[in-house]
Amino acid sequence: MKRRGFSTPIFILVSCVVMMAVTHLTYISTIEANISIVSRDKIQTRLLAETKVNRVVYDNYYQNKYLMPAILAYLKAPATSAKSAKINVEAEDLDIEDKHNVVSIEFQNVNDRRCMEVVAESNYRGIRSISKKKVNYVNSIFEEGSLPLISYDLDFNTCVKLDEFYDGIEYLSLDSLPSDFKKLSTFSHDEIVIEAENNSRDIIRKISSSSTTEEIYGKVPLYKIFFDIKNRIYTPVSLRIIDKPALDPVKLKGVIIMEGDIIIEGRFEFSGIIVLKGRDSKIIVESDVYKPLIRGIIITEGPSDFLDRIDLKYNREVIGMYGFYLPGFIEIK
């Protein structure tokens, strides 16, 4: 005789097992889907924060409008100016779900290099992310281990950077310099002479074989100069600094780009950047009593055998203050 109803418990048991398996698979699938969504949102949040950092650092609009003015303000007075800045990212550059539009910048010195830490925060669908990046912003040849003289006697990478720097200053224009600079450029002059007239002003003469031009600038107590001295008709030119023992020494600060010789007859104090352009350009000291005091940096294409004749020391602050106006000085990496 057949035993009825025997298959019913097995069917119920199998159905329960199947339902449990389906429920478990559904639960796992839901968890995996949620994890996938959260992971995607985390990635999206991180990308939004990184995008804001990169936009502020590398986009020309933000560089010109916000970043460069902040860098200039800090370089001009690092001891007293703000060491941080905040940049607002434009609405059209933000994701519609990301409401954080502020990118913070903090100026730092790391391993004898100027850098800025750029920080951006994003909040996407309730997930928060912070992106930080340290960015060097000054050409490494100006911070080469705080060396006061940079020449082609250094390593290969420095020589490559020097080539790029000298190529850049070929296209230098003095027109964009601030009005507080005393600017001087040359065309067909044989010599530029700077001579103390009294303790409150110097005379600067531009001399050529056919005529003499005289320009007088006040000195209260120092004035900022930006000289781009080269003879554009390819004949030698020199910058001569004449000391008068009865008066204060000639004191200058700023930038001198010299294609030719700087001839110093006596006491001379300079704070800033000297660029000697051309393999024959050099500094000649004609006094055996006084060593010219130079605080800043000298960059030269030519020989450096004048070093023992001058008192040269690296000065980070004056390099930053005047280097900003040189092509290739600001190099954001």
Side-chain angles (χ1 to χ4, degrees), residues 180-225:
D180 58 340
F181 276 94
K182 305 302 182 182
K183 297 173 279 189
L184 185 148
S185 60
T186 56
F187 181 75
S188 60
H189 301 91
D190 300 319
E191 188 173 52
I192 309 299
V193 176
I194 302 177
E195 182 178 358
E197 185 187 50
N198 54 46
N199 285 330
S200 62
R201 67 179 184 180
D202 299 330
I203 295 176
I204 300 178
R205 296 185 177 93
K206 297 192 290 187
I207 301 172
S208 65
S209 57
S210 58
S211 63
T212 298
T213 303
E214 182 177 295
E215 301 182 13
I216 300 177
Y217 293 130
K219 184 177 63 171
V220 191
L222 303 176
Y223 56 75
K224 296 195 295 187
I225 56 99

Side-chain angles (χ1 to χ4, degrees), residues 56-119:
V56 165
V57 172
Y58 300 114
D59 186 277
N60 286 335
Y61 171 77
Y62 289 96
Q63 273 194 11
N64 295 332
K65 186 172 182 179
Y66 300 107
L67 198 57
M68 290 302 182
I71 291 174
L72 175 58
Y74 179 69
L75 289 176
K76 287 176 69 174
T80 58
S81 63
K83 293 179 173 55
S84 60
K86 294 187 181 300
I87 296 175
N88 293 323
V89 178
E90 305 288 348
E92 58 266 27
D93 293 326
L94 291 172
D95 186 277
I96 192 170
E97 296 193 43
D98 186 5
K99 304 304 180 184
H100 291 276
N101 70 324
V102 176
V103 176
S104 301
I105 294 172
E106 182 180 356
F107 295 106
Q108 302 175 348
N109 288 317
V110 178
N111 298 326
D112 291 327
R113 294 292 311 275
R114 294 179 180 89
C115 75
M116 51 188 176
E117 184 177 63
V118 188
V119 181

Side-chain angles (χ1 to χ4, degrees), residues 185-310:
S185 60
T186 56
F187 181 75
S188 60
H189 301 91
D190 300 319
E191 188 173 52
I192 309 299
V193 176
I194 302 177
E195 182 178 358
E197 185 187 50
N198 54 46
N199 285 330
S200 62
R201 67 179 184 180
D202 299 330
I203 295 176
I204 300 178
R205 296 185 177 93
K206 297 192 290 187
I207 301 172
S208 65
S209 57
S210 58
S211 63
T212 298
T213 303
E214 182 177 295
E215 301 182 13
I216 300 177
Y217 293 130
K219 184 177 63 171
V220 191
L222 303 176
Y223 56 75
K224 296 195 295 187
I225 56 99
F226 200 113
F227 291 173
D228 183 17
I229 300 175
K230 53 189 172 185
N231 195 315
R232 302 176 197 278
I233 58 174
Y234 307 108
T235 58
V237 63
S238 61
L239 169 64
R240 183 176 295 275
I241 297 159
I242 301 174
D243 174 36
K244 290 186 176 179
L247 302 176
D248 291 340
V250 175
K251 297 180 181 180
L252 302 175
K253 57 181 181 178
V255 177
I256 297 175
I257 301 174
M258 185 72 209
E259 190 170 2
D261 296 336
I262 299 178
I263 304 169
I264 305 170
E265 294 190 0
R267 298 169 302 161
F268 175 53
E269 298 177 13
F270 179 78
S271 297
I273 299 170
I274 295 176
V275 179
L276 297 174
K277 191 174 182 302
R279 298 290 179 180
D280 297 325
S281 298
K282 55 188 177 294
I283 295 176
I284 299 171
V285 179
E286 294 189 341
S287 171
D288 293 326
V289 179
Y290 301 107
K291 279 188 174 183
L293 275 65
I294 299 175
R295 301 294 180 259
I297 195 170
I298 297 175
I299 299 173
T300 179
E301 278 190 296
S304 56
D305 53 3
F306 54 81
L307 267 180
D308 62 341
R309 303 277 290 165
I310 64 176

